[in-house]
Amino acid sequence: MRHKPVNLVATLAKLRQDLASCTSSVALSAVKNEIDRTITMLTDFRTKLNGSGIEVPLGAIDEVLRFLNAAEDDDRVQGLLASVTMPASAPTRAIKPPRVPVQIEANLTNEQIRHLLQKDLSRSELAAVAHQRSVSVGKRSRDELRDAIREFIDRQDSYSNLRG
């Protein structure tokens, strides 16, 4: 079965118009169905692009990009996008910002180590600190390693206090 050619720009313009005039849940449902058909059309388009040396209609793609950029400022579109949920098969996780590595300098004092231990150090960073105090790393977890380093420097400080 061959799909009849569809003008992507016209489809998106109609979606925009329907969305702007959407006043009931029935109308919203019709807009959602049209969005589903558009997604199917775009998926077919991507499949065709992957399968052959078809000429890419850059003008149409530019129109889609302009539409999507305009949609960022549209409260109705943002409301729809916010209501879209991830499929049940894709677990949702909070996206963490990239962690900046901490430079572990040589010959740290106990106070500097205490300050570093308050940060979220990686296991390799904790291992570098442990190495400075001759604390065995072994198969310890990050929390166990952090606790072992703390215990060691606390013990060192208590010996220093006993000496005077």
Side-chain angles (χ1 to χ4, degrees):
M1 179 175 177
R2 188 165 169 89
H3 295 287
K4 67 179 187 177
V6 178
N7 185 344
L8 183 59
V9 176
T11 302
L12 290 173
K14 183 179 180 316
L15 270 174
R16 174 93 167 127
Q17 182 182 8
D18 291 347
L19 190 59
S21 63
C22 180
T23 57
S24 68
S25 61
V26 174
L28 183 60
S29 178
V31 170
K32 287 179 181 179
N33 289 336
E34 186 61 32
I35 289 172
D36 290 340
R37 282 192 292 276
T38 304
I39 290 171
T40 302
M41 179 183 64
L42 289 171
T43 303
D44 291 345
F45 179 67
R46 182 181 56 201
T47 303
K48 288 177 186 177
L49 283 176
N50 288 338
S52 67
I54 186 172
E55 184 178 323
V56 180
L58 294 178
I61 292 173
D62 289 339
E63 288 292 323
V64 171
L65 292 174
R66 280 194 289 277
F67 169 78
L68 292 174
N69 285 331
E72 284 182 329
D73 298 330
D74 190 315
D75 291 335
R76 285 182 176 249
V77 174
Q78 289 303 311
L80 284 176
L81 292 176
S83 68
V84 174
T85 59
M86 295 293 289
S89 63
T92 57
R93 288 190 221 165
I95 298 174
K96 294 181 180 178
R99 192 176 123 351
V100 177
V102 177
Q103 182 66 31
I104 306 296
E105 298 178 18
N107 302 321
L108 294 172
T109 65
N110 286 348
E111 287 306 313
Q112 290 172 321
I113 291 175
R114 278 194 182 89
H115 180 69
L116 282 174
L117 292 178
Q118 291 174 354
K119 297 180 180 180
D120 183 30
L121 298 176
S122 69
R123 189 171 187 283
S124 62
E125 292 163 345
L126 286 168
V129 172
H131 180 70
Q132 288 188 23
R133 292 297 185 259
S134 301
V135 173
S136 173
V137 175
K139 294 183 178 181
R140 295 180 181 180
S141 70
R142 285 176 27 180
D143 292 332
E144 292 170 339
L145 195 51
R146 181 178 283 113
D147 290 342
I149 295 168
R150 259 195 206 109
E151 287 174 18
F152 187 84
I153 62 175
D154 287 344
R155 194 173 325 121
Q156 272 187 332
D157 286 344
S158 67
Y159 289 149
S160 296
N161 290 339
L162 287 176
R163 288 187 203 154

